Amino acid sequence: MDDIDSLKTELQILSNADSPNIINLIEVFITTTNFDIIMEHCEGGSLLDRINLLLENGKCFTTDQAAFILRQIILGLNYAHSNNFVHRDIKLENIVFIDKNVTNLKLKIIDFGLSKYLHEGLKRMKEKLGTCYYIAPEVLKGNYNEKCDIWSCGVLLYLMLIGTPPFFSDVEGDNSNIYQKIKTFQYSFNNKCKELLKIFYF
């Protein structure tokens, strides 16, 4: 998917979306050289920012907080899937909070650049897209549907409660090791790499 196709898909999806848990597209100005996009303003930072803030104080989200966050994400994805589009890149950076007040956990799903419309002739996808820590095993096999987003939600829940990704490599940049662990479901609830969240996106 090239950048222009990705942008067109994202704009089409967001212009039609009507969910309190999906970022609002306000206006688009198109010139011969630019796409100028005005989006809803969210100033609370990403879910990655919030987790790192907690980790700096030796904490993770409580179960109640994680449940409240996850419910909003699931509601947004339920709307998406009910309207025949799949996100394909659910991750910490693509969940943003509306308010800087850390007690306000209302959020929006953003970045639909890898999204795809499903229709009668396209119920399953083959492209191996997404971010390695969150990618579903069926995506790695090249035969998947919208349920890949639900797998990614499970990864988010793990991150919120444990403070580390469920699947990771001890060797920086070794995605193949991460993929192998995903395919074989090699994870633990005793991960000790609390600092990994600060580096594993770079």
Side-chain angles (χ1 to χ4, degrees):
M1 182 180 294
D2 63 36
D3 291 341
I4 295 298
D5 287 341
S6 173
L7 181 59
K8 287 180 178 178
T9 299
E10 181 168 17
L11 293 178
Q12 182 181 7
I13 286 171
L14 292 179
S15 64
N16 294 321
D18 184 18
S19 166
N21 302 119
I22 293 176
I23 195 75
N24 289 322
L25 175 65
I26 297 173
E27 188 63 88
V28 178
F29 300 96
I30 302 175
T31 68
T32 55
T33 56
N34 294 309
F35 283 90
D36 295 316
I37 304 168
I38 301 175
M39 313 271 305
E40 178 181 10
H41 179 58
C42 295
E43 58 183 15
S46 69
L47 185 52
L48 176 62
D49 297 328
R50 292 286 178 94
I51 287 182
N52 275 328
L53 184 62
L54 288 167
L55 289 177
E56 287 172 2
N57 294 288
K59 299 178 181 179
C60 289
F61 284 104
T62 67
T63 53
D64 285 346
Q65 290 172 327
F68 184 80
I69 289 169
L70 187 65
R71 181 178 186 274
Q72 295 176 83
I73 298 169
I74 291 294
L75 286 172
L77 290 175
N78 181 64
Y79 173 87
H81 297 167
S82 298
N83 285 274
N84 300 313
F85 62 95
V86 55
H87 189 284
R88 298 203 292 185
D89 199 21
I90 293 296
K91 58 183 178 180
L92 294 177
E93 302 100 307
N94 288 342
I95 308 300
V96 297
F97 293 94
I98 295 173
D99 198 311
K100 286 189 287 189
N101 183 347
V102 295
T103 64
N104 185 348
L105 297 177
K106 291 184 179 180
L107 57 80
K108 301 280 183 172
I109 302 171
I110 66 168
D111 194 352
F112 287 78
L114 294 184
S115 297
K116 195 175 188 77
Y117 272 110
L118 302 179
H119 50 77
E120 196 59 38
L122 178 67
K123 292 297 184 182
R124 303 193 71 82
M125 294 160 284
K126 297 180 179 179
E127 304 96 334
K128 295 179 183 179
L129 299 173
T131 302
C132 64
Y133 292 91
Y134 307 87
I135 200 165
E138 61 266 30
V139 176
L140 295 174
K141 294 176 182 177
N143 183 14
Y144 62 99
N145 60 16
E146 73 280 357
K147 293 178 182 178
C148 66
D149 286 341
I150 306 305
W151 172 278
S152 301
C153 285
V155 175
L156 288 186
L157 181 60
Y158 186 104
L159 280 158
M160 286 189 285
L161 295 175
I162 305 297
T164 66
F167 308 100
F168 64 93
S169 174
D170 294 319
V171 180
E172 187 175 350
D174 186 6
N175 290 353
S176 62
N177 184 249
I178 297 171
Y179 295 149
Q180 182 59 29
K181 288 183 177 180
I182 291 171
K183 290 176 183 177
T184 54
F185 309 110
Q186 295 180 46
Y187 67 92
S188 169
F189 286 103
N190 297 310
N191 286 348
K192 301 298 182 183
C193 56
K194 293 283 187 184
E195 293 302 310
L196 188 56
L197 273 180
K198 300 184 187 302
I199 64 171
F200 80 125
Y201 288 97
F202 300 120

